[in-house]
Structure formats: structure tokens, C-alpha cells
Amino acid sequence: MDKIVIDKNKCVGCGKCVKDCVASALFLDNGKAKLREGCIECAHCFAICPTGAVDMPEYDKSGCLPVTSMTEIDSDTLLSAMKSRRTIRQYKDIPVEQDKINKIIEAGRYAPTGSNSQNVAFTILGSKKDEIEKECVKLFRAGVNIGSKFSKSLKNTEINDSFFFKKAPLVIVVSAHNTVNGTLASAYMEIEANSLGLGVLYSGFFCACTKLNPKIKAMLKLPKGHKAVTCMIIGYPDVEYKRIAPRKPHIIQEL
């Protein structure tokens, strides 16, 4: 089955899809859009067609509603909210509702990926969460000062049984072939989680464990070729911050 199908009866030959095709895989032939080799299935043609002449049969189109412009969100409010964001390490003993989990995953699914690879995966640590955390804690407790190799602050920190997941109700491991793709997806997911009243912690220590201990990585059952890019600890915050934290002066260069 073709990845891109153009309905000649609906196509009006406006050329908008041709002009916007990043791979130059579309061209006009006798006043109708036509596809040649090189398509990366980015769906720009699907999104830009004014008559709905473009279809992608193998793709999920359930969420393909009319676009919402970011300009509909007040920019000052958005910036203030982003500046107010804090890493959360204290969580209420309240489960995250399934519909909110679905929205967080959906935000990650729609994050951009290089060459439209869409190769990001989301692993929710359900019944295996405690078992995996136990292995991570065991690893960090083993050896002499193994934890301090990652952070000097760990010298004064007790590595207790909930050191990694902080008793949070939800843990999602974002994995991908490409670190940038997984990171972008995680950023989208955090913004969505924050908008739902949830707090997020990125556990770099957990990702380090997946590199140090093959057993822990195997327990995740990641797709072939994937590596854990981020581990997102998510839940309802049990802490309230009153003001935006200060930042060092930014570095701006003009060349």
C-alpha cells in the first residue's frame, strides 16, 4: 500500500504541497499533485492540502483535527508558567488518571523527530516498577562511593529504597535510537504533564543505571536498538513553590 495517496478528483493543482515538501518528492503533472521516490512521510502535504486530497492510509488519523495555533496561548502567561516550572521530588499518594497518562503519551508522540523517524518509545513501569527500582538501589549501594561518581551531592544523601522513583505513582521511560528525538518528546510530555497539574522529575541516575547494569536495561524490554534517554517520574506534587527561582545571566552571542 502506498504511504501517500492523492485523490485526483479532489486535487485542484494549487501546488501548496509541492512547495512545502521537504524531500521534494511531490511535483505537478497535468495540473495534479504526484508523488515520486524520496518521501519521508512527514505529513506536511496531508496537513497543508486545502481540499483534503492527500491521505496516509497506514497512519492513525483519529487526532487529525483542525490545527490550533500557539498564538491562541497568551505568550506572557506561557513564559511565566515555563519559568515557574520546578523539578518535583515530593509526591502525593494519588494515582495518575489513565486519561492524563494518555494525554502525556500523545504529547510525546507528536514531538518532532529527525527525518520524521518517529522512533521514540514510551515504557510505563507498572507492576515492575518496585522490582526495577530495587535493582537500581542495589547498584548504587554497591561498591565504594559509586554514587558520588555521578554527583558530589550524593555524599550527603541517603540512598533509601525510594531513592530513584520518590514514591511517585507514575514512571515513564522514554527511549529512542537518537538522544535528541527522545529529549524533544520528553520536553513535550513534561509541558503536558504540568498543564494537567502534575509534577515531573527527570531521573538521570536511573538512565545511568541502564548503562551500568545490563540486567536493568533488560528488565525494561526496550525496542531493539533503543536506549533509555530519559526516565520521567510523574505525580501530583506534595510541595508548593511560591515564587520563580532566580537564574544566572544568559549567554547570548551574535556572530
Side-chain angles (χ1 to χ4, degrees), residues 192-236:
E192 179 65 20
N194 290 164
S195 76
L196 295 168
L198 298 163
V200 177
L201 161 68
Y202 291 107
S203 179
F205 292 133
F206 177 83
C207 291
C209 285
T210 66
K211 296 176 183 177
L212 290 169
N213 190 329
K215 179 181 178 181
I216 295 173
K217 184 177 180 179
M219 292 172 74
L220 294 175
K221 298 181 179 179
L222 301 180
K224 186 177 180 180
H226 276 223
K227 58 185 175 183
V229 177
T230 64
C231 176
M232 303 181 70
I233 317 302
I234 304 172
Y236 288 98

mmCIF file of all heavy atoms in Angstrom, residues 192-236:
data_model
loop_
_atom_site.group_PDB
_atom_site.id
_atom_site.type_symbol
_atom_site.label_atom_id
_atom_site.label_comp_id
_atom_site.label_asym_id
_atom_site.label_seq_id
_atom_site.Cartn_x
_atom_site.Cartn_y
_atom_site.Cartn_z
ATOM 1 N N GLU A 192 2.914 19.003 28.900
ATOM 2 C CA GLU A 192 1.545 18.493 29.004
ATOM 3 C C GLU A 192 1.253 18.053 30.438
ATOM 4 O O GLU A 192 0.176 18.348 30.977
ATOM 5 C CB GLU A 192 1.338 17.321 28.038
ATOM 6 C CG GLU A 192 -0.042 16.702 28.072
ATOM 7 C CD GLU A 192 -1.154 17.630 27.623
ATOM 8 O OE1 GLU A 192 -0.852 18.620 26.921
ATOM 9 O OE2 GLU A 192 -2.321 17.374 27.973
ATOM 10 N N ALA A 193 2.205 17.360 31.066
ATOM 11 C CA ALA A 193 2.006 16.901 32.443
ATOM 12 C C ALA A 193 1.804 18.087 33.384
ATOM 13 O O ALA A 193 0.909 18.074 34.245
ATOM 14 C CB ALA A 193 3.201 16.057 32.891
ATOM 15 N N ASN A 194 2.619 19.117 33.222
ATOM 16 C CA ASN A 194 2.481 20.311 34.061
ATOM 17 C C ASN A 194 1.124 20.971 33.870
ATOM 18 O O ASN A 194 0.504 21.448 34.829
ATOM 19 C CB ASN A 194 3.587 21.311 33.738
ATOM 20 C CG ASN A 194 4.974 20.862 34.182
ATOM 21 O OD1 ASN A 194 5.970 21.402 33.737
ATOM 22 N ND2 ASN A 194 5.047 19.849 35.045
ATOM 23 N N SER A 195 0.633 20.988 32.627
ATOM 24 C CA SER A 195 -0.665 21.610 32.351
ATOM 25 C C SER A 195 -1.802 20.829 32.999
ATOM 26 O O SER A 195 -2.890 21.368 33.204
ATOM 27 C CB SER A 195 -0.897 21.719 30.839
ATOM 28 O OG SER A 195 -1.250 20.472 30.274
ATOM 29 N N LEU A 196 -1.548 19.568 33.318
ATOM 30 C CA LEU A 196 -2.549 18.708 33.959
ATOM 31 C C LEU A 196 -2.429 18.719 35.479
ATOM 32 O O LEU A 196 -3.083 17.937 36.172
ATOM 33 C CB LEU A 196 -2.400 17.273 33.435
ATOM 34 C CG LEU A 196 -2.701 17.071 31.952
ATOM 35 C CD1 LEU A 196 -2.239 15.685 31.500
ATOM 36 C CD2 LEU A 196 -4.180 17.250 31.663
ATOM 37 N N GLY A 197 -1.560 19.598 35.997
ATOM 38 C CA GLY A 197 -1.389 19.699 37.441
ATOM 39 C C GLY A 197 -0.413 18.705 38.024
ATOM 40 O O GLY A 197 -0.362 18.509 39.243
ATOM 41 N N LEU A 198 0.376 18.062 37.171
ATOM 42 C CA LEU A 198 1.334 17.049 37.617
ATOM 43 C C LEU A 198 2.746 17.609 37.650
ATOM 44 O O LEU A 198 3.091 18.531 36.898
ATOM 45 C CB LEU A 198 1.278 15.843 36.678
ATOM 46 C CG LEU A 198 -0.069 15.116 36.612
ATOM 47 C CD1 LEU A 198 -0.147 14.232 35.385
ATOM 48 C CD2 LEU A 198 -0.287 14.296 37.880
ATOM 49 N N GLY A 199 3.566 17.043 38.520
ATOM 50 C CA GLY A 199 4.967 17.419 38.599
ATOM 51 C C GLY A 199 5.837 16.342 37.989
ATOM 52 O O GLY A 199 5.433 15.178 37.899
ATOM 53 N N VAL A 200 7.041 16.731 37.572
ATOM 54 C CA VAL A 200 7.933 15.804 36.880
ATOM 55 C C VAL A 200 9.359 15.921 37.415
ATOM 56 O O VAL A 200 9.844 17.013 37.710
ATOM 57 C CB VAL A 200 7.945 16.092 35.358
ATOM 58 C CG1 VAL A 200 8.931 15.174 34.640
ATOM 59 C CG2 VAL A 200 6.552 15.923 34.765
ATOM 60 N N LEU A 201 9.997 14.771 37.523
ATOM 61 C CA LEU A 201 11.436 14.692 37.826
ATOM 62 C C LEU A 201 12.084 13.844 36.748
ATOM 63 O O LEU A 201 11.608 12.747 36.440
ATOM 64 C CB LEU A 201 11.661 14.045 39.195
ATOM 65 C CG LEU A 201 13.060 13.482 39.484
ATOM 66 C CD1 LEU A 201 14.095 14.606 39.583
ATOM 67 C CD2 LEU A 201 13.071 12.648 40.767
ATOM 68 N N TYR A 202 13.165 14.346 36.164
ATOM 69 C CA TYR A 202 13.965 13.546 35.240
ATOM 70 C C TYR A 202 15.038 12.825 36.045
ATOM 71 O O TYR A 202 15.895 13.462 36.647
ATOM 72 C CB TYR A 202 14.633 14.431 34.185
ATOM 73 C CG TYR A 202 13.689 15.050 33.184
ATOM 74 C CD1 TYR A 202 13.376 16.402 33.237
ATOM 75 C CD2 TYR A 202 13.118 14.283 32.177
ATOM 76 C CE1 TYR A 202 12.519 16.981 32.316
ATOM 77 C CE2 TYR A 202 12.255 14.851 31.247
ATOM 78 C CZ TYR A 202 11.964 16.202 31.325
ATOM 79 O OH TYR A 202 11.112 16.771 30.407
ATOM 80 N N SER A 203 14.990 11.509 36.057
ATOM 81 C CA SER A 203 15.962 10.737 36.830
ATOM 82 C C SER A 203 17.158 10.347 35.968
ATOM 83 O O SER A 203 17.154 9.304 35.308
ATOM 84 C CB SER A 203 15.318 9.479 37.427
ATOM 85 O OG SER A 203 16.272 8.739 38.157
ATOM 86 N N GLY A 204 18.162 11.209 35.976
ATOM 87 C CA GLY A 204 19.396 10.899 35.262
ATOM 88 C C GLY A 204 20.111 9.710 35.877
ATOM 89 O O GLY A 204 20.782 8.942 35.174
ATOM 90 N N PHE A 205 19.946 9.557 37.191
ATOM 91 C CA PHE A 205 20.570 8.415 37.868
ATOM 92 C C PHE A 205 20.029 7.092 37.325
ATOM 93 O O PHE A 205 20.768 6.124 37.168
ATOM 94 C CB PHE A 205 20.327 8.489 39.383
ATOM 95 C CG PHE A 205 21.036 9.626 40.054
ATOM 96 C CD1 PHE A 205 20.373 10.436 40.946
ATOM 97 C CD2 PHE A 205 22.371 9.882 39.796
ATOM 98 C CE1 PHE A 205 21.018 11.482 41.579
ATOM 99 C CE2 PHE A 205 23.032 10.924 40.418
ATOM 100 C CZ PHE A 205 22.354 11.729 41.320
ATOM 101 N N PHE A 206 18.723 7.061 37.045
ATOM 102 C CA PHE A 206 18.141 5.822 36.518
ATOM 103 C C PHE A 206 18.726 5.498 35.147
ATOM 104 O O PHE A 206 19.068 4.345 34.868
ATOM 105 C CB PHE A 206 16.621 5.932 36.419
ATOM 106 C CG PHE A 206 15.988 4.710 35.828
ATOM 107 C CD1 PHE A 206 15.715 3.611 36.620
ATOM 108 C CD2 PHE A 206 15.701 4.630 34.471
ATOM 109 C CE1 PHE A 206 15.150 2.458 36.079
ATOM 110 C CE2 PHE A 206 15.142 3.498 33.918
ATOM 111 C CZ PHE A 206 14.863 2.405 34.722
ATOM 112 N N CYS A 207 18.817 6.494 34.290
ATOM 113 C CA CYS A 207 19.377 6.251 32.956
ATOM 114 C C CYS A 207 20.824 5.776 33.056
ATOM 115 O O CYS A 207 21.264 4.940 32.260
ATOM 116 C CB CYS A 207 19.274 7.515 32.108
ATOM 117 S SG CYS A 207 17.570 7.942 31.666
ATOM 118 N N ALA A 208 21.548 6.294 34.030
ATOM 119 C CA ALA A 208 22.922 5.838 34.250
ATOM 120 C C ALA A 208 22.936 4.362 34.636
ATOM 121 O O ALA A 208 23.802 3.598 34.191
ATOM 122 C CB ALA A 208 23.582 6.677 35.339
ATOM 123 N N CYS A 209 21.950 3.949 35.429
ATOM 124 C CA CYS A 209 21.868 2.538 35.840
ATOM 125 C C CYS A 209 21.662 1.620 34.640
ATOM 126 O O CYS A 209 22.186 0.503 34.603
ATOM 127 C CB CYS A 209 20.729 2.352 36.833
ATOM 128 S SG CYS A 209 21.083 2.972 38.495
ATOM 129 N N THR A 210 20.884 2.064 33.676
ATOM 130 C CA THR A 210 20.640 1.226 32.499
ATOM 131 C C THR A 210 21.912 1.034 31.679
ATOM 132 O O THR A 210 22.025 0.061 30.927
ATOM 133 C CB THR A 210 19.546 1.832 31.596
ATOM 134 O OG1 THR A 210 20.011 3.072 31.022
ATOM 135 C CG2 THR A 210 18.272 2.073 32.379
ATOM 136 N N LYS A 211 22.851 1.962 31.811
ATOM 137 C CA LYS A 211 24.128 1.834 31.101
ATOM 138 C C LYS A 211 25.112 0.974 31.890
ATOM 139 O O LYS A 211 25.929 0.262 31.319
ATOM 140 C CB LYS A 211 24.730 3.219 30.849
ATOM 141 C CG LYS A 211 23.895 4.100 29.941
ATOM 142 C CD LYS A 211 24.506 5.492 29.811
ATOM 143 C CE LYS A 211 23.644 6.404 28.963
ATOM 144 N NZ LYS A 211 24.193 7.780 28.880
ATOM 145 N N LEU A 212 25.025 1.054 33.226
ATOM 146 C CA LEU A 212 25.973 0.342 34.079
ATOM 147 C C LEU A 212 25.610 -1.128 34.281
ATOM 148 O O LEU A 212 26.491 -1.966 34.473
ATOM 149 C CB LEU A 212 26.058 1.028 35.448
ATOM 150 C CG LEU A 212 26.740 2.394 35.487
ATOM 151 C CD1 LEU A 212 26.500 3.053 36.831
ATOM 152 C CD2 LEU A 212 28.240 2.247 35.231
ATOM 153 N N ASN A 213 24.307 -1.416 34.242
ATOM 154 C CA ASN A 213 23.861 -2.769 34.559
ATOM 155 C C ASN A 213 22.961 -3.309 33.443
ATOM 156 O O ASN A 213 21.810 -2.893 33.311
ATOM 157 C CB ASN A 213 23.092 -2.759 35.887
ATOM 158 C CG ASN A 213 22.806 -4.155 36.404
ATOM 159 O OD1 ASN A 213 22.646 -5.091 35.621
ATOM 160 N ND2 ASN A 213 22.744 -4.304 37.722
ATOM 161 N N PRO A 214 23.459 -4.240 32.640
ATOM 162 C CA PRO A 214 22.662 -4.817 31.550
ATOM 163 C C PRO A 214 21.361 -5.453 32.027
ATOM 164 O O PRO A 214 20.377 -5.495 31.287
ATOM 165 C CB PRO A 214 23.603 -5.867 30.948
ATOM 166 C CG PRO A 214 24.979 -5.421 31.327
ATOM 167 C CD PRO A 214 24.827 -4.779 32.680
ATOM 168 N N LYS A 215 21.357 -5.940 33.276
ATOM 169 C CA LYS A 215 20.152 -6.585 33.813
ATOM 170 C C LYS A 215 19.006 -5.582 33.908
ATOM 171 O O LYS A 215 17.863 -5.889 33.568
ATOM 172 C CB LYS A 215 20.435 -7.186 35.187
ATOM 173 C CG LYS A 215 19.215 -7.851 35.818
ATOM 174 C CD LYS A 215 19.535 -8.416 37.201
ATOM 175 C CE LYS A 215 18.285 -9.029 37.833
ATOM 176 N NZ LYS A 215 18.570 -9.576 39.192
ATOM 177 N N ILE A 216 19.328 -4.377 34.359
ATOM 178 C CA ILE A 216 18.297 -3.348 34.499
ATOM 179 C C ILE A 216 17.750 -2.956 33.134
ATOM 180 O O ILE A 216 16.540 -2.840 32.941
ATOM 181 C CB ILE A 216 18.868 -2.115 35.237
ATOM 182 C CG1 ILE A 216 19.232 -2.491 36.682
ATOM 183 C CG2 ILE A 216 17.864 -0.956 35.218
ATOM 184 C CD1 ILE A 216 19.953 -1.411 37.444
ATOM 185 N N LYS A 217 18.637 -2.789 32.168
ATOM 186 C CA LYS A 217 18.185 -2.459 30.818
ATOM 187 C C LYS A 217 17.321 -3.586 30.245
ATOM 188 O O LYS A 217 16.297 -3.338 29.601
ATOM 189 C CB LYS A 217 19.374 -2.193 29.896
ATOM 190 C CG LYS A 217 18.963 -1.754 28.500
ATOM 191 C CD LYS A 217 20.158 -1.416 27.630
ATOM 192 C CE LYS A 217 19.695 -0.971 26.244
ATOM 193 N NZ LYS A 217 20.828 -0.608 25.368
ATOM 194 N N ALA A 218 17.720 -4.827 30.509
ATOM 195 C CA ALA A 218 16.955 -5.972 30.001
ATOM 196 C C ALA A 218 15.564 -6.012 30.616
ATOM 197 O O ALA A 218 14.594 -6.418 29.955
ATOM 198 C CB ALA A 218 17.703 -7.262 30.301
ATOM 199 N N MET A 219 15.434 -5.605 31.871
ATOM 200 C CA MET A 219 14.132 -5.604 32.541
ATOM 201 C C MET A 219 13.152 -4.628 31.878
ATOM 202 O O MET A 219 11.940 -4.822 31.941
ATOM 203 C CB MET A 219 14.303 -5.240 34.024
ATOM 204 C CG MET A 219 15.039 -6.301 34.839
ATOM 205 S SD MET A 219 15.430 -5.746 36.520
ATOM 206 C CE MET A 219 13.813 -5.828 37.281
ATOM 207 N N LEU A 220 13.686 -3.606 31.219
ATOM 208 C CA LEU A 220 12.834 -2.616 30.566
ATOM 209 C C LEU A 220 12.238 -3.127 29.261
ATOM 210 O O LEU A 220 11.233 -2.602 28.785
ATOM 211 C CB LEU A 220 13.636 -1.335 30.293
ATOM 212 C CG LEU A 220 14.110 -0.546 31.511
ATOM 213 C CD1 LEU A 220 14.992 0.616 31.073
ATOM 214 C CD2 LEU A 220 12.918 -0.038 32.319
ATOM 215 N N LYS A 221 12.906 -4.117 28.654
ATOM 216 C CA LYS A 221 12.452 -4.679 27.380
ATOM 217 C C LYS A 221 12.252 -3.592 26.317
ATOM 218 O O LYS A 221 11.208 -3.523 25.651
ATOM 219 C CB LYS A 221 11.161 -5.481 27.574
ATOM 220 C CG LYS A 221 11.324 -6.674 28.497
ATOM 221 C CD LYS A 221 10.026 -7.459 28.639
ATOM 222 C CE LYS A 221 10.209 -8.665 29.555
ATOM 223 N NZ LYS A 221 8.951 -9.436 29.722
ATOM 224 N N LEU A 222 13.248 -2.734 26.188
ATOM 225 C CA LEU A 222 13.167 -1.648 25.217
ATOM 226 C C LEU A 222 13.185 -2.204 23.800
ATOM 227 O O LEU A 222 13.734 -3.283 23.548
ATOM 228 C CB LEU A 222 14.344 -0.687 25.401
ATOM 229 C CG LEU A 222 14.489 -0.010 26.773
ATOM 230 C CD1 LEU A 222 15.705 0.903 26.774
ATOM 231 C CD2 LEU A 222 13.232 0.763 27.139
ATOM 232 N N PRO A 223 12.593 -1.490 22.849
ATOM 233 C CA PRO A 223 12.651 -1.928 21.453
ATOM 234 C C PRO A 223 14.102 -2.058 20.989
ATOM 235 O O PRO A 223 15.005 -1.397 21.526
ATOM 236 C CB PRO A 223 11.935 -0.797 20.703
ATOM 237 C CG PRO A 223 11.031 -0.192 21.722
ATOM 238 C CD PRO A 223 11.772 -0.283 23.021
ATOM 239 N N LYS A 224 14.337 -2.896 20.016
ATOM 240 C CA LYS A 224 15.684 -3.162 19.517
ATOM 241 C C LYS A 224 16.373 -1.868 19.085
ATOM 242 O O LYS A 224 15.802 -1.069 18.347
ATOM 243 C CB LYS A 224 15.620 -4.136 18.343
ATOM 244 C CG LYS A 224 16.995 -4.582 17.850
ATOM 245 C CD LYS A 224 16.858 -5.605 16.737
ATOM 246 C CE LYS A 224 18.232 -6.056 16.240
ATOM 247 N NZ LYS A 224 18.114 -7.059 15.140
ATOM 248 N N GLY A 225 17.598 -1.687 19.541
ATOM 249 C CA GLY A 225 18.379 -0.519 19.167
ATOM 250 C C GLY A 225 18.090 0.719 19.996
ATOM 251 O O GLY A 225 18.741 1.751 19.822
ATOM 252 N N HIS A 226 17.124 0.646 20.901
ATOM 253 C CA HIS A 226 16.776 1.805 21.726
ATOM 254 C C HIS A 226 17.648 1.906 22.964
ATOM 255 O O HIS A 226 18.115 0.897 23.496
ATOM 256 C CB HIS A 226 15.311 1.719 22.165
ATOM 257 C CG HIS A 226 14.353 2.233 21.148
ATOM 258 N ND1 HIS A 226 13.288 3.034 21.463
ATOM 259 C CD2 HIS A 226 14.310 2.087 19.797
ATOM 260 C CE1 HIS A 226 12.614 3.339 20.371
ATOM 261 N NE2 HIS A 226 13.211 2.759 19.349
ATOM 262 N N LYS A 227 17.838 3.123 23.419
ATOM 263 C CA LYS A 227 18.496 3.376 24.697
ATOM 264 C C LYS A 227 17.586 4.282 25.519
ATOM 265 O O LYS A 227 16.795 5.065 24.973
ATOM 266 C CB LYS A 227 19.849 4.056 24.480
ATOM 267 C CG LYS A 227 19.785 5.365 23.722
ATOM 268 C CD LYS A 227 21.165 5.915 23.449
ATOM 269 C CE LYS A 227 21.096 7.165 22.568
ATOM 270 N NZ LYS A 227 22.437 7.690 22.234
ATOM 271 N N ALA A 228 17.671 4.147 26.832
ATOM 272 C CA ALA A 228 16.859 4.987 27.705
ATOM 273 C C ALA A 228 17.397 6.409 27.650
ATOM 274 O O ALA A 228 18.516 6.674 28.070
ATOM 275 C CB ALA A 228 16.899 4.448 29.129
ATOM 276 N N VAL A 229 16.601 7.321 27.128
ATOM 277 C CA VAL A 229 17.019 8.724 27.006
ATOM 278 C C VAL A 229 16.665 9.502 28.260
ATOM 279 O O VAL A 229 17.477 10.229 28.811
ATOM 280 C CB VAL A 229 16.374 9.384 25.768
ATOM 281 C CG1 VAL A 229 16.754 10.864 25.688
ATOM 282 C CG2 VAL A 229 16.800 8.659 24.499
ATOM 283 N N THR A 230 15.418 9.347 28.716
ATOM 284 C CA THR A 230 15.003 9.966 29.971
ATOM 285 C C THR A 230 14.137 8.999 30.755
ATOM 286 O O THR A 230 13.511 8.100 30.196
ATOM 287 C CB THR A 230 14.188 11.266 29.760
ATOM 288 O OG1 THR A 230 12.959 10.957 29.095
ATOM 289 C CG2 THR A 230 14.974 12.279 28.944
ATOM 290 N N CYS A 231 14.109 9.212 32.058
ATOM 291 C CA CYS A 231 13.188 8.487 32.936
ATOM 292 C C CYS A 231 12.371 9.556 33.647
ATOM 293 O O CYS A 231 12.916 10.335 34.440
ATOM 294 C CB CYS A 231 13.944 7.619 33.939
ATOM 295 S SG CYS A 231 12.874 6.794 35.134
ATOM 296 N N MET A 232 11.078 9.623 33.346
ATOM 297 C CA MET A 232 10.226 10.679 33.865
ATOM 298 C C MET A 232 9.422 10.185 35.065
ATOM 299 O O MET A 232 8.605 9.274 34.944
ATOM 300 C CB MET A 232 9.288 11.187 32.770
ATOM 301 C CG MET A 232 10.022 11.678 31.531
ATOM 302 S SD MET A 232 8.913 12.318 30.245
ATOM 303 C CE MET A 232 8.342 13.835 31.027
ATOM 304 N N ILE A 233 9.695 10.779 36.227
ATOM 305 C CA ILE A 233 8.972 10.462 37.458
ATOM 306 C C ILE A 233 7.824 11.466 37.544
ATOM 307 O O ILE A 233 8.052 12.679 37.560
ATOM 308 C CB ILE A 233 9.891 10.606 38.686
ATOM 309 C CG1 ILE A 233 11.279 9.998 38.428
ATOM 310 C CG2 ILE A 233 9.233 10.012 39.913
ATOM 311 C CD1 ILE A 233 11.281 8.558 38.064
ATOM 312 N N ILE A 234 6.580 10.976 37.607
ATOM 313 C CA ILE A 234 5.425 11.863 37.467
ATOM 314 C C ILE A 234 4.397 11.595 38.554
ATOM 315 O O ILE A 234 4.121 10.444 38.908
ATOM 316 C CB ILE A 234 4.768 11.666 36.078
ATOM 317 C CG1 ILE A 234 5.801 11.900 34.960
ATOM 318 C CG2 ILE A 234 3.563 12.593 35.907
ATOM 319 C CD1 ILE A 234 5.292 11.537 33.574
ATOM 320 N N GLY A 235 3.812 12.663 39.080
ATOM 321 C CA GLY A 235 2.755 12.529 40.063
ATOM 322 C C GLY A 235 2.247 13.880 40.514
ATOM 323 O O GLY A 235 2.750 14.925 40.073
ATOM 324 N N TYR A 236 1.268 13.875 41.409
ATOM 325 C CA TYR A 236 0.744 15.124 41.953
ATOM 326 C C TYR A 236 1.707 15.660 43.013
ATOM 327 O O TYR A 236 2.032 14.945 43.972
ATOM 328 C CB TYR A 236 -0.642 14.909 42.550
ATOM 329 C CG TYR A 236 -1.707 14.696 41.485
ATOM 330 C CD1 TYR A 236 -2.125 13.407 41.143
ATOM 331 C CD2 TYR A 236 -2.268 15.776 40.821
ATOM 332 C CE1 TYR A 236 -3.086 13.209 40.160
ATOM 333 C CE2 TYR A 236 -3.226 15.584 39.824
ATOM 334 C CZ TYR A 236 -3.631 14.303 39.504
ATOM 335 O OH TYR A 236 -4.573 14.109 38.529
#
